């Protein structure tokens, strides 16, 4: 899932703060993505909140409404694309989307909130 991939990437990018934790350890996080009362469910909720907030900050309002509020499937796809953009750009790849994302989405300061949530969970 995108959450597990994000956690694996976080572990690989932060070896000092993770204290030698294996990237495969993310598979043992308890819970279900749809149950907010579990650690995995809470991470899923935080991910949606962070990515929605980033999109709200960088996209024109009509485009944000169209991509993140009109269709739940499209919203989920664009949330996951924001994450993919961040991970792929760290690997010197340039993902493309239509409509194109504004520059700096992968470096948005709100990603630090997601990183804190990942570190706290792991």
């Amino acid at each position: 899932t995108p959450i597990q991939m994000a956690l694996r990437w976080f572990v690989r990018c932060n070896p000092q703060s993770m204290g030698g934790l294996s990237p495969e350890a993310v598979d043992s996080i308890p819970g279900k993505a749809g149950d907010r009362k579990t650690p995995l469910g809470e991470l899923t909720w935080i991910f949606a909140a962070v990515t929605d907030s980033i999109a709200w900050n960088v996209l024109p309002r009509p485009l944000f409404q169209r991509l993140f509020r009109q269709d739940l499937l499209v919203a989920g796809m664009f949330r996951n694309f924001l994450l993919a953009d961040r991970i792929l750009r760290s690997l010197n790849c340039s993902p493309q989307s239509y409509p194109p994302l504004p520059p700096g989405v992968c470096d948005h300061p709100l990603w630090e909130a997601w990183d804190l949530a990942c570190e706290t969970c792991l």
Side-chain angles (χ1 to χ4, degrees):
T1 67
I3 301 296
Q4 289 173 319
M5 182 55 64
L7 292 169
R8 287 173 186 262
W9 178 76
F10 181 81
V11 169
R12 289 184 193 271
C13 290
N14 299 284
Q16 290 181 332
S17 68
M18 292 292 98
L21 184 70
S22 165
E24 287 74 32
V26 303
D27 295 334
S28 64
I29 295 176
K32 295 183 179 182
D35 184 1
R36 191 170 170 203
K37 295 178 182 179
T38 66
L40 187 58
E42 184 68 13
L43 274 177
T44 302
W45 184 84
I46 292 169
F47 175 73
V50 168
T51 51
D52 280 14
S53 297
I54 290 171
W56 174 260
N57 277 279
V58 300
L59 296 176
R61 295 299 170 253
L63 183 58
F64 173 82
Q65 291 294 328
R66 192 176 86 208
L67 296 177
F68 286 85
R69 294 296 179 256
Q70 287 184 358
D71 186 323
L72 292 176
L73 182 61
V74 172
M77 287 176 29
F78 260 87
R79 281 186 197 106
N80 294 340
F81 185 80
L82 292 178
L83 174 64
D85 182 66
R86 182 181 193 215
I87 292 172
L88 290 171
R89 288 192 189 276
S90 76
L91 301 170
N92 295 320
C93 294
S94 300
Q96 303 294 308
S97 68
Y98 184 83
L101 294 176
V105 171
C106 64
D107 297 325
H108 196 281
L110 284 173
W111 282 117
E112 291 177 18
W114 172 246
D115 291 343
L116 179 62
C118 291
E119 187 172 36
T120 301
C121 181
L122 295 169

